[in-house]
Amino acid sequence: MSSGGAASNGFANVALAKAERFLAEAGFDRAPWLAVAFACGILAWFAMPSPWHWSAAIGGGVLAFLSAFALWPTGSAIAEERGHLRRAMMALGLVFAAGVAVIWVRSGVVGAEAMDRPVIERVQGYVLEREDQPAEQRTRLTLAVRDSASGESRKIRVNVPLEALAAGEARAGTGSVAEGAVVRMRVRLMPPASPMLPGAYDFARTAWFRGLAATGSLIGELELVESAPQRGGIARVQRALSQHVRDRVDGSAGTIAAAFASGDRGAIDRADEEAMRDAGLTHLLSISGLHVSAVIAAAYLAALKLLGLFPTIALRVRLPVLAAGCGALAGIGYTLLTGAEVPTVRSCVAALLVLVALAMGRDALSLRMVAAAAFAVMLLWPESVAGPSFQMSFSAVLAIVALSASAPVRAFLAPREEPWWGHAGRRVIMLFVTGLVIEIALMPIVLYHFHRAGLYGALANVAAIPLVTFVSMPLIALGLLLDVVALGAPVWWLVKASLDLLLGIAHVTAAQPGAVKLMPQMDALTISLFAAGGLWLALWTGRARLLGFVPASLATLLLLVTPIPDVLIGRDGRHVGITIDLPDGNRRLLSLRDTRSSYSRDNLLELASVTADPIPLVQWPGARCSRAFCSLRIERGGRTWTLLMARNRHMIEERRLAAACARADIVVADRFLPRSCRPRWLKADRKMLLRTGGLSIDLRRGEITSVAESQGEHGWWRGERD
């Protein structure tokens, strides 16, 4: 063997020995890292473009398992010497491969091909789900209908105005439109929309995993063919409970109370929801860990105290076991009643594991508990791993568990001789620190998915979380209990006062200068470094965890230098945004169309990191607009760029169009442009945008990012691309 080969082997042996020693000394706990490997396999499937890549990923995981088995055979001395490395490599490889396989199978089983094109047709369908949205003056019906051409069943979602719904029910007499009803209507249907821009919300992917082939809206009247069955159901009880709470508590407070009681957020006013979001309090509206934990803890403690009043029971049965059973029933019931969304199920599973630990006398708050809950959710809904709900929920829980288990926090909260105000003060400080740590943990995820984050969330949560947990939710439960004997009115008054205070905190916080930070789309490397750093900090113990600050710091630097796109082009070519730096240092967005669509406007503003309303291009002094086109010259990267953008689909003489294209660097149109239109750099017409989707352009670097780059051959994109 050559000296180079010997040196290489020696270096490898030293590295392996150091890795083995690190795992042994750092207290390698496999359960949390196995959950991470499973999630990485799922995310790898989303990130990789084709079945060939997915198969290679599964093969790579299996190969890691076989390599560890071959290098360090069972029973050999080298296997004992490399025990931690061997077990880690084998387990992580197999679990990663399993993650890729599970989401691949899930996509094939539940995925629904989208419609080819928009259509207007008359349908008769079976109501699978009804979602009331009084704040939007509509109800969403999910229907199972039969395709007129193929005869196959498909699932669609239709928005029905409240007036049309009420009229349809009135014409039917005593019938109701709910789960189990059969309705007939004329609808305008469209394929689920792909992201408007790179980094925007991908409804097509969500619809694929929900089995939706199309979405649309009612045209004309709704006809109730067969009324919903009279038997009760979870959805019917949920709607009745939501309406009951709103009847007892009026105004915005009533809509928040209904969300806490039943999970129904459809009545919450848009201004209130935006204030809660910008104040960092949106998590309070989504039924998840805080609410489920409060319900289960209240049921557990109440059962423990009440059962303790009966000596016959207390002396013969372990009360923690009975109380845990009562808490479990309360948690499961609340989860089902509030819609059994992924965060709620995750929280319920985690809380049930805590109850089991309490009943067995074990440590209730551990990373293994979090890992078990994560596995339960990922096995049932693996697609949720790619969504913000799963990521934010588990990041918050990981942050809490890791913080509570750290040595400085344990020392700070350790019992000691002190006055009551000192004990309470330390708890308040810990509450603030916990809120701050959670905000830091969630900030990268929020910025990645929503491109905006509330900067004062930690301060707002210090007041809002205790208010909701110890005041509002117990009062709502007490009010519902007293309503049985018609004595709940005083309690509902207190509920309204507490929730008005919560909304006041949200609106005041959101209105502060600099309360909201907008950021452009974060790239995959940056969010991966954030995730790696956060997981390392949370899952290791001792000084080894401090190494997690290295990738987190690097990600922060990359985030700060993330370029803001100069031009944003929507998937249909109709919506174009151009960022302009004003002399006073502020940035504004020029919009090709003065659209009333909040969805289009918000996407353009968020991805351009602009908070002020967009300026219509026709009102900008530097723009030259005719009836058919707008032209604009901007300075970027040391050169002048000329943009030519179509305002409509009016016919224009081809020779004039060709001459205008030749003078432009970028041409954007929502129609097919002739071959004679040849701009100097980019022709983003309908033909190109059907292939690429929305575009984000950095003129300084000459880089173009498209929606198609992140889609690959996944089923939800294939139909539109073809």
Side-chain angles (χ1 to χ4, degrees):
M1 181 182 294
S2 67
S3 59
S8 176
N9 287 337
F11 177 79
N13 288 331
V14 170
L16 290 173
K18 288 185 176 181
E20 176 69 23
R21 186 164 57 252
F22 171 79
L23 292 177
E25 295 175 354
F28 177 64
D29 190 351
R30 281 173 293 183
W33 285 109
L34 290 177
V36 171
F38 196 75
C40 286
I42 295 172
L43 292 174
W45 182 85
F46 281 104
M48 292 183 292
S50 69
W52 183 89
H53 294 86
W54 309 335
S55 300
I58 295 175
V62 175
L63 182 62
F65 169 82
L66 295 176
S67 298
F69 191 81
L71 288 172
W72 305 307
T74 302
S76 64
I78 191 66
E80 292 295 327
E81 185 180 343
R82 300 282 186 263
H84 288 89
L85 274 175
R86 181 176 183 270
R87 288 191 294 271
M89 191 169 172
M90 293 173 67
L92 294 178
L94 274 185
V95 172
F96 175 84
V100 179
V102 165
I103 184 61
W104 193 354
V105 171
R106 169 76 171 172
S107 175
V109 170
V110 305
E113 288 288 343
M115 295 179 58
D116 294 333
R117 62 188 185 280
V119 298
I120 295 177
E121 62 182 33
R122 190 166 184 81
V123 299
Q124 177 172 313
Y126 179 87
V127 179
L128 300 173
E129 182 182 353
R130 168 176 168 168
E131 180 185 358
D132 291 329
Q133 296 181 320
E136 303 290 339
Q137 295 298 306
R138 70 187 183 192
T139 292
R140 278 181 168 170
L141 299 179
T142 301
L143 308 173
V145 301
R146 189 169 298 279
D147 190 284
S148 57
S150 65
E152 296 181 354
S153 179
R154 62 181 180 179
K155 188 159 68 171
I156 64 173
R157 193 183 72 186
V158 180
N159 293 330
V160 179
L162 293 182
E163 297 84 354
L165 183 70
E169 291 179 334
R171 283 191 298 272
T174 59
S176 64
V177 178
E179 289 78 5
V182 178
V183 295
R184 186 183 296 126
M185 65 184 86
R186 190 165 179 255
V187 293
R188 178 186 293 109
L189 296 176
M190 298 183 64
S194 60
M196 176 183 171
L197 296 161
Y201 174 58
D202 192 348
F203 177 66
R205 185 178 70 187
T206 302
W208 172 268
F209 285 104
R210 291 182 180 176
L212 291 175
T215 62
S217 56
L218 172 71
I219 301 176
E221 297 179 345
L222 178 145
E223 179 184 350
L224 180 57
V225 177
E226 183 179 330
S227 179
Q230 294 300 314
R231 65 180 184 274
I234 292 294
R236 189 185 294 262
V237 173
Q238 182 186 27
R239 285 193 295 272
L241 178 60
S242 176
Q243 186 62 52
H244 176 84
V245 173
R246 293 202 303 272
D247 290 341
R248 296 300 184 275
V249 183
D250 58 4
S252 295
T255 65
I256 304 296
F260 289 162
S262 66
D264 178 14
R265 297 173 54 176
I268 298 176
D269 185 73
R270 180 181 295 272
D272 293 331
E273 194 156 14
E274 289 179 353
M276 295 286 286
R277 177 196 63 191
D278 293 342
L281 302 178
T282 299
H283 65 94
L284 296 177
L285 300 179
S286 177
I287 303 301
S288 56
L290 176 68
H291 311 79
V292 175
S293 300
V295 169
I296 291 179
Y300 177 85
L301 293 175
L304 195 63
K305 298 299 182 183
L306 290 174
L307 292 173
L309 298 176
F310 301 93
T312 304
I313 298 176
L315 294 174
R316 289 173 172 80
V317 182
R318 288 191 63 216
L319 293 186
V321 176
L322 287 180
C326 294
L329 290 175
I332 294 172
Y334 186 61
T335 298
L336 294 174
L337 187 62
T338 54
E341 298 292 337
V342 171
T344 321
V345 173
R346 189 275 310 162
S347 304
C348 184
V349 171
L352 293 180
L353 292 174
V354 170
L355 289 176
V356 171
L358 288 173
M360 297 175 61
R362 304 286 295 273
D363 184 11
L365 199 62
S366 69
L367 291 174
R368 290 196 172 195
M369 175 268 292
V370 179
F375 266 118
V377 173
M378 289 188 291
L379 286 172
L380 293 173
W381 301 283
E383 69 274 11
S384 66
V385 177
S389 178
F390 177 95
Q391 295 172 12
M392 293 173 65
S393 180
F394 277 97
S395 295
V397 174
L398 274 177
I400 293 172
V401 174
L403 182 66
S404 64
S406 63
V409 170
R410 287 182 179 273
F412 182 74
L413 295 178
R416 64 194 72 180
E417 292 291 337
E418 62 180 343
W420 68 268
W421 50 265
H423 178 82
R426 285 190 292 115
R427 268 29 185 201
V428 171
I429 293 173
M430 197 62 231
L431 182 63
F432 173 76
V433 171
T434 301
L436 184 62
V437 169
I438 292 174
E439 285 295 313
I440 294 173
L442 297 185
M443 185 86 59
I445 300 172
V446 172
L447 289 175
Y448 179 77
H449 289 284
F450 306 113
H451 319 293
R452 59 189 298 149
L455 299 182
Y456 304 140
L459 293 172
N461 277 288
V462 168
I465 290 178
L467 177 64
V468 170
T469 306
F470 302 116
V471 179
S472 299
M473 289 196 63
L475 285 174
I476 291 172
L478 181 60
L480 291 172
L481 182 63
L482 292 178
D483 276 350
V484 177
V485 291
L487 295 176
V491 178
W492 290 118
W493 182 87
L494 293 174
V495 169
K496 177 175 172 56
S498 69
L499 294 179
D500 282 338
L501 178 58
L502 173 67
L503 287 169
I505 293 171
H507 282 280
V508 169
T509 304
Q512 299 307 306
V516 179
K517 176 64 176 175
L518 296 181
M519 291 293 294
Q521 177 59 27
M522 191 186 305
D523 61 26
L525 175 61
T526 303
I527 189 63
S528 298
L529 288 172
F530 271 125
L535 288 170
W536 193 276
L537 284 166
L539 300 185
W540 291 115
T541 58
R543 300 181 63 180
R545 67 171 22 164
L546 299 180
L547 292 173
F549 284 113
V550 176
S553 300
L554 181 58
T556 302
L557 293 176
L558 291 176
L559 179 62
L560 293 176
V561 299
T562 299
I564 295 173
D566 299 298
V567 181
L568 294 166
I569 303 173
R571 60 175 173 262
D572 56 4
R574 291 176 50 82
H575 301 288
V576 181
I578 304 156
T579 55
I580 297 292
D581 293 322
L582 301 180
D584 60 4
N586 292 322
R587 183 184 302 108
R588 295 298 297 271
L589 182 73
L590 304 182
S591 177
L592 176 62
R593 283 177 169 81
D594 187 14
T595 177
R596 294 182 179 180
S597 168
S598 60
Y599 173 79
S600 301
R601 183 183 65 250
D602 290 347
N603 269 286
L604 289 172
L605 289 173
E606 289 172 359
L607 290 164
S609 300
V610 176
T611 55
D613 288 337
I615 302 172
L617 191 58
V618 293
Q619 299 177 11
W620 185 250
R624 298 174 55 195
C625 292
S626 66
R627 188 160 158 250
F629 281 88
C630 273
S631 177
L632 179 70
R633 294 165 64 88
I634 57 175
E635 300 285 339
R636 293 290 189 276
R639 61 165 289 188
T640 300
W641 297 81
T642 302
L643 283 70
L644 182 66
M645 294 156 283
R647 301 181 64 189
N648 48 52
R649 296 188 178 184
H650 292 169
M651 296 297 293
I652 186 171
E653 197 255 323
E654 184 176 357
R655 185 175 299 176
R656 291 176 53 202
L657 177 60
C661 290
R663 294 191 297 268
D665 297 288
I666 300 173
V667 175
V668 182
D670 60 345
R671 56 176 131 166
F672 294 94
L673 295 177
R675 292 184 179 180
S676 58
C677 176
R678 296 179 179 177
R680 291 191 286 261
W681 190 51
L682 175 68
K683 182 170 75 172
D685 66 342
R686 184 169 180 78
K687 179 180 179 181
M688 176 183 179
L689 293 174
L690 283 175
R691 186 179 70 254
T692 65
L695 303 175
S696 174
I697 303 175
D698 182 355
L699 295 177
R700 293 175 177 84
R701 302 184 181 184
E703 295 178 353
I704 302 174
T705 304
S706 71
V707 169
E709 293 174 7
S710 62
Q711 300 295 318
E713 297 181 22
H714 295 95
W716 56 88
W717 176 254
R718 182 181 295 114
E720 183 169 326
R721 185 186 61 188
D722 292 343

